[in-house]
Amino acid sequence: MVNNVQTLIKYVVESFAEKKNEIEYLVEEKENVIEVTVLLNASDMGKVIGKQGKIAKALRTLVSASTPRDSKRYVVEIKEKA
């Protein structure tokens, strides 16, 4: 993970997850969007997403607030490992 926004995503996710060494981050750049997919174990899904998705929503709010105006927009997806 290279940039500050991606470091922020990693920090927040790992603050809530128990199995930190099993988390995978997939970063895909498109035209004007950078899509960050966080792959978690089933046991960590609820902890990272939070009740009614409050932690995930807060993470997305932090990411949009910390993204510079002239840069690409970030999209954060949280998925369970297959």
Side-chain angles (χ1 to χ4, degrees):
M1 313 232 73
V2 181
N3 115 10
N4 290 335
V5 177
Q6 293 170 343
T7 306
L8 172 69
I9 294 168
K10 187 175 181 179
Y11 175 78
V12 172
V13 169
E14 290 181 3
S15 296
F16 292 100
E18 286 183 5
K19 298 179 181 177
K20 295 167 181 41
N21 57 343
E22 296 180 20
I23 301 171
E24 291 180 37
Y25 301 91
L26 304 176
V27 181
E28 186 179 335
E29 284 196 45
K30 297 180 181 172
E31 269 188 46
N32 56 355
V33 175
I34 298 174
E35 190 174 301
V36 180
T37 305
V38 182
L39 296 172
L40 300 166
N41 281 339
S43 61
D44 283 336
M45 286 294 290
K47 295 175 187 95
V48 174
I49 292 175
K51 287 187 179 177
Q52 298 176 347
K54 288 184 180 181
I55 295 171
K57 184 177 180 186
L59 173 62
R60 291 184 179 107
T61 302
L62 278 172
V63 167
S64 69
S66 63
T67 303
R69 283 183 188 250
D70 57 346
S71 71
K72 295 182 177 184
R73 188 173 60 91
Y74 277 82
V75 175
V76 180
E77 287 191 40
I78 301 170
K79 295 183 178 180
E80 185 177 330
K81 277 187 184 180

